Amino acid sequence: MKKTTLTIISCLFTFFMYSQEENIQKKIDSIEKTFRYEHGSVNLKNGIGKINVPNGFKYLNPVQAERVLVDLWGNPKGENLTLGLLLPENQGVMSQIGYVFNIQYDEIGHVEDDDADDVNYDDLLTEMQKETVEENKERQKEGYAPVSIVGWAAKPFYDKDRKILHWAKEIKFGQDSLNTLNYNVRILGRKGVLVLNAIATENELPLVQKDISKVLDIVQFNDGYKYEDFDSSVDEVAAWTIGGLVAGKVLAKVGFFAIFLKFGKIIVLSLLGFFGVFKNKIKGWFSKSKNTENEEEIESEVALIQEKSEVEEEVKEEIN
């Protein structure tokens, strides 16, 4: 009798989990269908220039991009949050594997690049790692997990002819077992820099590196906004040079990435939440049983099923 009961529980549990996963996937699919992507040449809303969407990619305008960043990924609203998202054609914003570039413009002034050949990026990395120790004290006071820079995922490189700087950091949030990839691209203009930040995990580094050459040339500044249009008599010079752009403020530039890592866990937590309700129902079915020993054994088996489920979901979380 006991084996039959446990078999029924196991079958019901399997059916329940499959059903919930199917429902969640349907919800994700329905959300994905609400987005309208663009291709070809796209004018940026601030008038500084345009994005030439490369083959194999698609662009999501600022209104829809903000919906993704704020409503779906949980980031706080803010000024100049996004000029749009760029992502591979065969990928959705809800995909758990892949990457997305968030596009921004930072009007920090004209960045002089005289120091580009003199920066020791290994020394710079050491300094950045030390800074995060102090910054984490404040971060933890506010209830956030500490951040640590593991190292360069791709060492900084500056193309002086094209005025393009790009680099990647591997970052660890709290005790997360999967590190975050912080891939940065800065295209220098007359009065500031166009920013492309890749939102991804370390597992996606090969994907980003494979596609990065296609992304570097997508920006075309309008006349009057190009780097060579700088006029020292009227334009401000940025406080940051090339080394300063790479150093930046680490905690100010990685907020999106932490949220993106957590996104994969939303589905996991939902499933575990559903399981909690399901487990309580199972226990209720047998709460009136006269055989206390069988009751305890059944509850023990249910606990084992739950433990197995949690382990499986942890594995999914690792993958995400």
Side-chain angles (χ1 to χ4, degrees):
M1 174 67 180
K2 182 174 70 174
K3 285 186 177 181
T4 301
T5 302
L6 292 176
T7 299
I8 293 173
I9 292 173
S10 180
C11 290
L12 287 172
F13 173 76
T14 301
F15 172 77
F16 177 82
M17 293 299 289
Y18 175 79
S19 177
Q20 294 307 324
E21 287 182 359
E22 190 176 36
N23 288 339
I24 290 173
Q25 187 57 53
K26 286 181 179 178
K27 179 63 175 176
I28 289 175
D29 292 341
S30 67
I31 292 174
E32 291 282 9
K33 289 178 181 178
T34 64
F35 295 108
R36 297 293 177 266
Y37 294 96
E38 297 176 51
H39 300 80
S41 181
V42 178
N43 291 320
L44 295 173
K45 70 174 185 179
N46 57 5
I48 66 167
K50 62 183 179 180
I51 294 291
N52 295 308
V53 182
N55 291 333
F57 285 81
K58 55 189 177 182
Y59 169 83
L60 199 62
N61 69 33
V63 174
Q64 297 179 91
E66 182 170 315
R67 178 189 165 206
V68 173
L69 295 172
V70 176
D71 297 338
L72 298 183
W73 293 358
N75 291 280
K77 285 188 175 183
E79 287 188 31
N80 304 317
L81 183 64
T82 182
L83 288 175
L85 297 179
L86 185 73
L87 62 159
E89 185 69 63
N90 60 356
Q91 182 193 305
V93 294
M94 303 284 280
S95 298
Q96 295 182 49
I97 298 176
Y99 68 90
V100 173
F101 272 105
N102 183 40
I103 304 169
Q104 296 169 290
Y105 179 68
D106 198 352
E107 195 166 320
I108 57 175
H110 185 78
V111 177
E112 295 186 332
D113 59 1
D114 298 341
D115 71 326
D117 296 329
D118 303 324
V119 181
N120 186 318
Y121 290 114
D122 291 331
D123 290 346
L124 183 59
L125 175 65
T126 301
E127 289 301 314
M128 291 163 63
Q129 290 171 327
K130 289 179 181 177
E131 286 181 8
T132 58
V133 174
E134 292 302 314
E135 291 170 337
N136 278 329
K137 293 177 182 178
E138 293 301 317
R139 185 177 176 87
Q140 289 178 288
K141 283 181 183 178
E142 296 176 4
Y144 296 99
V147 173
S148 59
I149 303 176
V150 179
W152 297 123
K155 205 166 185 176
F157 176 79
Y158 179 61
D159 186 326
K160 199 161 188 174
D161 293 331
R162 295 190 293 170
K163 307 300 179 186
I164 299 174
L165 172 68
H166 58 101
W167 74 97
K169 295 187 293 285
E170 182 181 344
I171 296 176
K172 187 177 187 66
F173 286 88
Q175 299 301 313
D176 284 351
S177 56
L178 185 60
N179 292 339
T180 296
L181 172 67
N182 184 2
Y183 208 114
N184 300 265
V185 179
R186 303 288 185 272
I187 300 102
L188 280 57
R190 175 184 176 179
K191 299 181 179 182
V193 294
L194 196 82
V195 178
L196 297 174
N197 275 342
I199 304 175
T201 68
E202 60 175 327
N203 289 348
E204 276 72 61
L205 177 59
L207 290 176
V208 179
Q209 287 181 320
K210 178 176 68 71
D211 293 337
I212 194 66
S213 61
K214 303 174 186 175
V215 174
L216 294 179
D217 288 325
I218 66 173
V219 178
Q220 183 177 334
F221 284 109
N222 288 332
D223 290 340
Y225 289 94
K226 298 175 182 178
Y227 191 84
E228 58 269 25
D229 293 331
F230 173 69
D231 185 345
S232 60
S233 64
V234 294
D235 295 333
E236 294 184 7
V237 175
W240 291 323
T241 55
I242 296 300
L245 287 179
V246 176
K249 276 292 183 182
V250 177
L251 299 188
K253 296 181 183 298
V254 296
F256 293 162
F257 310 144
I259 297 299
F260 184 71
L261 266 181
K262 301 299 181 189
F263 170 71
K265 299 174 185 178
I266 293 175
I267 295 176
V268 173
L269 292 175
S270 298
L271 289 175
L272 291 180
F274 284 130
F275 176 79
V277 175
F278 181 69
K279 185 189 73 172
N280 290 335
K281 287 184 178 181
I282 293 175
K283 290 173 71 174
W285 292 340
F286 296 98
S287 62
K288 297 182 181 180
S289 172
K290 294 180 181 180
N291 190 329
T292 303
E293 182 178 351
N294 283 350
E295 239 183 72
E296 293 175 351
E297 289 176 350
I298 290 171
E299 186 166 326
S300 175
E301 292 293 336
V302 170
L304 286 175
I305 293 174
Q306 182 186 22
E307 183 178 351
K308 178 182 177 184
S309 171
E310 290 174 348
V311 170
E312 290 175 347
E313 296 305 334
E314 285 176 2
V315 171
K316 288 182 181 179
E317 185 176 317
E318 292 291 331
I319 295 173
N320 296 338

